[in-house]
Amino acid sequence: MLKKRELLLSQRQFSEDETMVPVLTSRKASELPVHEVVCVLQADLQVGLNQEEVSRRRAYHGWNEFDISEEEPLWKKYISQFKDPLILLLLASAVISVLMHQLDDAISITVAIIIVVTVAFVQEYRSEKSLEELGKLVPPECHCLRDGHLEHMLARDLVPGDTVCLSVGERVPADLRLVETSDLSVDESSLTGETSPCSKSTVHQPPSSNGDITSRSNVAFMGTLVRCGRAKGIVIGTGENSEFGEVFKMMQAEEAPKTPLQKSMDLLGKQLSLYSFGIIGVIMLVGWMQGKRILDMFTIGVSLAVAAIPEGLPIVVTVTLALGVMRMVKKRAIIKKLPIVETLGCCNVICSDKTGTLTKNEMTVTQLFTSDGLHAEVTGVGYNGAGEVLLDGDVVHGFSCPSISKIVEVGCVCNDSVIRNHNVLGRPTEGALIALSMKMGLESLQQEYVRLEERPFSSEQKWMSVRCVHRTLKDKPGVIFMKGAYEQVIVLCSSYNSRGSTLSLSAQQRELYQQQISYMGSAGLRVLAFASGSQMGNLTFLGLVGIIDPPRSGVKEAVGMLISSGVAIKMITGDSQETAVSIASRLGLFSKGSQCLSGDEVDHMDLQQLSHIVLRISVFYRASPRHKLKIVKSLQNIGAVVAMTGDGVNDAVALKAADIGVAMGQTGTDVCKEAADMILVDDDFQTIMSAIEEGKGIYNNIKNFVRFQLSTSIAALTLISLATLMNFPNPLNAMQILWINIIMDGPPAQSLGVEPVDPDVIRQPPRNVRDSIITRSLLVKVLVSALVIVCGTLFVFWRELQDNVITPRDTTMTFTCFVFFDMFNALSSRSQTRMVHELGLCSNKTFCYAVLASIMGQMLVIYFPPLQNVFQTESLSLFDLLFLVTLTSSVCLVSEAIKILERWRGAEKSRPSDCFHEV
């Protein structure tokens, strides 16, 4: 103990000398009592730090974030591009040209290398920056006491000495020495690997038992997740000074795994590289045997390798995915993992929560039914006191009708939410009950009771209870107030209230209440039951409240659109059957022939039995998170790709098991968001449809890019191969081939990745998850386009070569022909199904600018004297250009004809069925 006092004094001395509080290690903080930790960190548990003190501490300790990655200088990244084997071979070719006194060739090759390297550098830089942006989409938040107010703020703003409040589902924002706990259990698996949650307390730890971090039961570590209970703690370590700092450094060292699409693009690139090297080797060998200069053949071979090998393919895929994710953010959907963008287009079943996703989550009490048979109407909407409670046309206020007042009293006291400035802080259902008490003038009841004990609401037990005592009767035993689902509350009741008297609960009364619940539920109301008493299991039933939660606008249309495109939608809710079916019918989810299933029925089925009937079920009622997991597994059993929504702590397992876990941004807990792949910022179901639409669009854009790049690669390889085998002079020189590579990997190709999403894409059926991106249809289009380009370019070359002497004009015509073919090929590659005139020439402005820039560049190459020397070109007449434009447009016309043919064949086939295809 003496050592602790000396340590404390030395730290106080440090504070006085440096005018700054120290950072306490978790070991040190766990060994000190709460009051000493408060003293060392100069904290205030009641008021918190003021803004001036926060700024002073932040200037010393920095932000509560990790900034450990040393950014590599841009010039180093640029230089590293020259390490590519093909670029080194080109540099070797330039050096050999210098040694052989061919300075023109050396300068030309060097200029081309610089351009190629610059394009690659810009692509990689864009990719890195796009991925960096993704990491900033979900900043962690927390509840912190500052200047006497509990504020909701970003976790990065915390400093040592701050007082932080934790509740169920939240992520711990910094290392905290706990000062108050209530049934707190924390999941530390992200830090320690321990799968079972750790119970926490505030008791300080003896040094003898203070081993590794798993033994520190009074410290909550940064990055861990609150599984249950509540707590208050003092920040002892932020950023790199937290226990998570070292773990984070190790995580940074690990590279994120590539998406399946990126892997398939890598494989495709490697296969094409292998074939290209083989063909290029044959070209160089045949050319050398034909007596052509070995250096020329080497330079052309390497240039062809640079052009034909699609090294930019994986990079463009990454950039397209990342830019698509950034576009989704504007549509209020945050994608946490890139592979999910691919999975979105395959999704064929959506399991959605009702409350807050399909409905507005703006709860308003509209009806009351007392245990003694009184039926009252409630007017007014929103979280405010505007409105009245009417019984037979008369206004009920205060305690004028005890039967109604008792229900309102329980709803107000058995409640953890608060209404501030017409907004509810807490659960919307509880907000509706507070608003009801405001309409009755009974909102002050919440402060009149002292809470002795609480059993919080959980999706498993479906009720909440508090034991409390009136402030004026503290010597009396406490009374229990309970609210929850009728089926769960009624089993704990033995009597009911009748005009102030307590009568035994009969089967007849239960039947009356059941009828009333059916009546309210069929009107789409969510029904809550209320009870009070001195002993659990012997409570007095007080009555029912009907709460309306209207469907979100636009959800019905979104549901209809998704169902028509082959996506099945299942609604999962904790509400009664009547309420669930009523809402589902309004949204178009439940019609004649549809079936519903209760959570209890799901419990009594094994996975195989559920898998047999799950397709026919549209609504799961009285369901809890554990049922969600079973539903997901049963759907996956029959080959479905499932998206599952959730917001609670217990939803995390189901979200992780689903192919696409969707967390709620507003009502979702941190645990839930951690497990999810996608977060809906506004909790709106329509956003899921937008995300699926965007996912399909991104995949189509990548297919468009692959089609363009493959057809150009194949055309370039085939052109040089045929010319060599036919003993023609080379139709393109090394510089011209490198210029074609810049166009193939450069702006026109990149712009295909940002093509606006086709509005009709959402109507397309879900993609089979096992389908390759290189489909038969795509391959046909690639080969046909390549064939047209090769035939057209060889025709121009043959036409210009009538005198059997190759001149700069011959290669200029051939070169420009190939480049123009590329531009028209890019135009037709903008969509695999829609015609160019349907897309609109200017609908993708980036594409227009890219093509314009490429054509301007080509004009400079032809007409600008310094570039004429580099590329060995000469000026062409207007007639030449018109002839080339007319000829090269043929590749676009042929592609459009294929689209018409596919559309005609597709019209003959039957439309997709309403249920998903087997995958």
Side-chain angles (χ1 to χ4, degrees):
M1 194 67 190
L2 189 60
K3 284 183 179 178
K4 283 185 192 173
R5 296 291 177 193
E6 287 172 359
L7 174 68
L8 190 59
L9 287 170
S10 66
Q11 285 170 339
R12 282 178 185 165
Q13 186 63 45
F14 172 85
S15 178
E16 288 165 12
D17 292 345
E18 302 291 333
T19 67
M20 188 49 58
V21 298
V23 171
L24 283 177
T25 65
S26 62
R27 176 187 286 275
K28 203 181 295 178
S30 65
E31 293 171 3
L32 296 175
V34 169
H35 68 276
E36 292 191 10
V37 175
V38 170
C39 188
V40 171
L41 294 173
Q42 298 171 30
D44 188 325
L45 298 179
Q46 305 307 315
V47 179
L49 302 178
N50 59 45
Q51 204 53 52
E52 184 185 344
E53 181 62 20
V54 168
S55 302
R56 198 171 71 89
R57 294 188 186 197
R58 186 176 297 127
Y60 184 82
H61 293 288
W63 296 95
N64 179 30
E65 59 189 4
F66 301 102
D67 188 20
I68 59 173
S69 55
E70 290 183 14
E71 188 72 22
E72 190 181 12
L74 287 180
W75 66 269
K76 274 193 179 179
K77 288 183 181 179
Y78 186 79
I79 295 296
S80 68
Q81 297 293 327
F82 288 90
K83 294 175 183 175
D84 185 282
L86 295 174
I87 298 296
L88 291 173
L89 283 173
L90 276 178
L91 283 171
S93 178
V95 170
I96 293 168
S97 298
V98 170
L99 295 174
M100 296 180 71
H101 303 290
Q102 296 174 353
L103 292 178
D104 286 351
D105 283 354
I107 292 167
S108 300
I109 292 169
T110 306
V111 169
I113 288 170
I114 289 169
I115 294 171
V116 169
V117 162
T118 303
V119 169
F121 167 72
V122 169
Q123 280 181 330
E124 283 200 20
Y125 184 73
R126 276 184 74 198
S127 173
E128 285 174 13
K129 287 297 168 190
S130 299
L131 292 173
E132 274 179 30
E133 287 301 310
L134 297 187
K136 299 174 186 173
L137 293 179
V138 198
E141 298 173 339
C142 66
H143 292 91
C144 178
L145 195 62
R146 292 262 177 92
D147 290 316
H149 301 288
L150 189 62
E151 296 180 10
H152 185 238
M153 53 191 264
L154 291 177
R156 75 186 294 264
D157 295 335
L158 292 176
V159 295
D162 261 328
T163 304
V164 172
C165 294
L166 300 174
S167 57
V168 176
E170 290 184 349
R171 175 183 285 279
V172 179
D175 282 1
L176 306 177
R177 170 61 165 92
L178 300 171
V179 296
E180 289 178 21
T181 60
S182 173
D183 193 28
L184 183 67
S185 183
V186 177
D187 178 357
E188 296 182 343
S189 57
S190 60
L191 187 65
T192 65
E194 289 290 331
T195 51
S196 54
C198 307
S199 296
K200 297 287 182 178
S201 67
T202 59
V203 182
H204 69 279
Q205 205 154 348
S208 57
S209 65
N210 195 359
D212 61 7
I213 56 175
T214 56
S215 65
R216 289 163 207 161
S217 60
N218 55 14
V219 176
F221 298 104
M222 182 184 201
T224 57
L225 299 162
V226 179
R227 283 291 177 186
C228 72
R230 296 177 187 168
K232 185 189 276 189
I234 305 171
V235 176
I236 56 172
T238 58
E240 290 179 60
N241 292 317
S242 67
E243 292 288 349
F244 198 65
E246 286 304 313
V247 177
F248 187 84
K249 288 174 190 174
M250 288 187 282
M251 283 169 58
Q252 289 293 95
E254 285 293 318
E255 283 190 27
K258 291 187 175 181
T259 75
L261 187 58
Q262 285 171 312
K263 286 176 184 173
S264 67
M265 289 297 101
D266 281 345
L267 181 62
L268 179 65
K270 284 173 186 171
Q271 289 171 340
L272 288 173
S273 301
L274 194 64
Y275 300 145
S276 300
F277 273 126
I279 295 166
I280 290 161
V282 171
I283 290 170
M284 289 173 65
L285 182 64
V286 172
W288 176 67
M289 289 171 68
Q290 289 171 347
K292 295 175 183 175
R293 290 174 59 206
I294 190 67
L295 180 63
D296 287 347
M297 292 310 300
F298 175 75
T299 308
I300 283 176
V302 174
S303 302
L304 196 55
V306 171
I309 295 167
E311 71 284 345
L313 208 56
I315 294 173
V316 172
V317 168
T318 304
V319 170
T320 306
L321 287 171
L323 291 178
V325 168
M326 299 308 291
R327 281 203 306 275
M328 285 191 197
V329 173
K330 293 176 184 172
K331 295 187 176 182
R332 318 291 285 164
I334 294 173
I335 304 294
K336 288 175 60 191
K337 300 163 190 172
L338 281 186
I340 293 307
V341 178
E342 302 164 39
T343 316
L344 280 166
C346 306
C347 174
N348 44 35
V349 180
I350 299 172
C351 296
S352 175
D353 286 326
K354 175 186 77 71
T355 305
T357 309
L358 296 171
T359 59
K360 287 184 178 179
N361 205 16
E362 291 175 1
M363 307 287 194
T364 304
V365 175
T366 58
Q367 293 183 29
L368 286 102
F369 183 79
T370 67
S371 54
D372 49 4
L374 300 180
H375 192 287
E377 301 285 336
V378 184
T379 63
V381 293
Y383 299 116
N384 54 63
E388 297 171 327
V389 177
L390 302 172
L391 180 63
D392 297 329
D394 297 327
V395 176
V396 179
H397 201 267
F399 293 96
S400 59
C401 178
S403 296
I404 291 175
S405 304
K406 279 182 181 291
I407 295 174
V408 176
E409 181 180 37
V410 172
C412 182
V413 178
C414 183
N415 199 311
D416 285 330
S417 298
V418 178
I419 290 178
R420 240 182 240 156
N421 301 322
H422 305 298
N423 291 313
V424 62
L425 304 178
R427 293 176 181 271
T429 309
E430 294 189 332
L433 296 174
I434 297 287
L436 173 65
S437 67
M438 290 165 72
K439 291 169 188 176
M440 291 270 291
L442 297 173
E443 66 271 24
S444 61
L445 285 173
Q446 210 169 20
Q447 278 72 50
E448 289 181 18
Y449 283 88
V450 177
R451 191 174 291 188
L452 305 175
E453 184 189 345
E454 175 189 343
R455 293 190 65 176
F457 176 86
S458 80
S459 49
E460 298 298 323
Q461 67 186 24
K462 294 187 175 67
W463 53 262
M464 172 191 176
S465 74
V466 294
R467 181 185 290 276
C468 47
V469 63
H470 199 277
R471 290 189 183 278
T472 59
L473 305 167
K474 286 189 178 179
D475 54 332
K476 301 281 183 182
V479 61
I480 296 171
F481 289 158
M482 174 185 279
K483 70 174 191 297
Y486 170 77
E487 294 88 343
Q488 307 302 321
V489 172
I490 199 73
V491 297
L492 298 171
C493 297
S494 58
S495 59
Y496 72 98
N497 175 62
S498 178
R499 305 182 190 280
S501 303
T502 302
L503 302 179
S504 181
L505 198 56
S506 63
Q508 188 180 357
Q509 283 298 124
R510 290 173 192 264
E511 182 61 33
L512 173 68
Y513 303 146
Q514 195 62 59
Q515 286 174 7
Q516 189 60 34
I517 287 167
S518 298
Y519 167 72
M520 286 182 174
S522 61
L525 299 182
R526 188 176 194 177
V527 183
L528 281 182
F530 297 81
S532 67
S534 57
Q535 191 179 346
M536 274 292 207
N538 197 25
L539 300 177
T540 301
F541 185 74
L542 299 176
L544 306 166
V545 158
I547 301 174
I548 194 163
D549 182 13
R552 283 181 180 268
S553 60
V555 167
K556 186 175 182 179
E557 292 76 12
V559 165
M561 181 72 74
L562 286 167
I563 290 174
S564 66
S565 72
V567 180
I569 299 171
K570 317 286 182 192
M571 187 176 94
I572 302 175
T573 177
D575 286 341
S576 66
Q577 182 178 356
E578 294 82 7
T579 305
V581 168
S582 173
I583 294 291
S585 301
R586 285 193 214 174
L587 294 171
L589 283 171
F590 196 90
S591 55
K592 194 175 181 183
S594 299
Q595 295 180 28
C596 54
L597 203 68
S598 72
D600 285 342
E601 288 170 316
V602 171
D603 277 334
H604 290 113
M605 291 181 182
D606 63 29
L607 206 56
Q608 211 58 41
Q609 289 173 320
L610 187 57
S611 296
H612 282 308
I613 66 161
V614 71
L615 267 186
R616 300 194 294 274
I617 308 299
S618 300
V619 174
F620 293 90
Y621 64 93
R622 288 292 187 230
S624 67
R626 77 168 187 278
H627 300 128
K628 283 185 176 182
L629 181 62
K630 199 168 181 179
I631 293 164
V632 168
K633 293 287 186 190
S634 68
L635 285 163
Q636 289 173 333
N637 254 10
I638 54 173
V641 178
V642 187
M644 170 66 81
T645 70
D647 56 7
V649 175
N650 297 330
D651 288 329
V653 180
L655 294 191
K656 210 147 195 165
D659 299 278
I660 306 169
V662 184
M664 302 297 112
Q666 292 179 349
T667 58
T669 59
D670 286 346
V671 174
C672 192
K673 291 174 187 174
E674 178 72 17
D677 305 298
M678 181 166 94
I679 298 171
L680 305 185
V681 176
D682 51 7
D683 296 7
D684 193 346
F685 182 83
Q686 270 186 292
T687 310
I688 301 177
M689 188 184 81
S690 299
I692 289 175
E693 183 179 42
E694 193 70 47
K696 287 181 177 179
I698 290 167
Y699 193 84
N700 285 351
N701 285 351
I702 291 171
K703 280 182 79 171
N704 297 340
F705 168 78
V706 169
R707 175 194 161 184
F708 170 70
Q709 196 165 55
L710 287 188
S711 55
T712 306
S713 287
I714 292 169
L717 268 177
T718 309
L719 180 67
I720 303 296
S721 302
L722 287 175
T724 305
L725 293 172
M726 293 162 69
N727 203 16
F728 280 4
N730 282 320
L732 301 170
N733 62 40
M735 300 309 304
Q736 292 165 353
I737 292 170
L738 289 173
W739 177 253
I740 288 166
N741 173 64
I742 290 164
I743 289 174
M744 187 177 79
D745 278 345
Q750 297 270 325
S751 63
L752 290 173
V754 293
E755 185 72 32
V757 175
D758 182 352
D760 291 333
V761 77
I762 193 64
R763 293 186 176 88
Q764 294 173 8
R767 196 179 73 254
N768 192 314
V769 77
R770 288 199 296 267
D771 281 352
S772 166
I773 195 167
I774 310 291
T775 58
R776 184 180 173 186
S777 168
L778 185 71
L779 197 58
V780 167
K781 287 171 185 168
V782 165
L783 294 175
V784 168
S785 296
L787 181 66
V788 172
I789 293 169
V790 170
C791 292
T793 309
L794 277 177
F795 168 72
V796 169
F797 186 55
W798 170 81
R799 180 173 170 270
E800 294 297 322
L801 204 62
Q802 294 292 342
D803 53 2
N804 289 326
V805 178
I806 191 158
T807 63
R809 173 184 164 77
D810 301 340
T811 55
T812 304
M813 282 291 285
T814 309
F815 172 41
T816 307
C817 176
F818 196 99
V819 169
F820 281 9
F821 262 129
D822 243 14
M823 294 300 102
F824 280 109
N825 187 29
L827 182 64
S828 65
S829 296
R830 284 178 60 195
S831 173
Q832 303 298 310
T833 54
R834 298 188 78 193
M835 314 292 284
V836 171
H837 70 272
E838 291 172 346
L839 290 169
L841 277 173
C842 299
S843 58
N844 183 354
K845 289 187 172 61
T846 310
F847 178 81
C848 294
Y849 296 142
V851 169
L852 193 62
S854 299
I855 292 171
M856 292 294 290
Q858 185 65 20
M859 295 300 105
L860 285 172
V861 165
I862 297 171
Y863 297 108
F864 187 52
L867 289 177
Q868 283 180 333
N869 295 332
V870 171
F871 288 90
Q872 297 165 23
T873 57
E874 68 174 43
S875 301
L876 300 177
S877 67
L878 182 61
F879 175 78
D880 290 332
L881 293 176
L882 288 173
F883 164 72
L884 289 175
V885 168
T886 305
L887 176 67
T888 55
S889 62
S890 61
V891 72
C892 186
L893 295 173
V894 170
S895 294
E896 296 297 284
I898 292 173
K899 289 177 191 175
I900 291 170
L901 184 64
E902 283 185 343
R903 191 178 289 184
W904 175 69
R905 286 178 64 189
E908 291 182 342
K909 293 180 182 178
S910 59
R911 293 182 180 180
S913 61
D914 281 353
C915 68
F916 67 81
H917 64 273
E918 188 151 336
V919 292

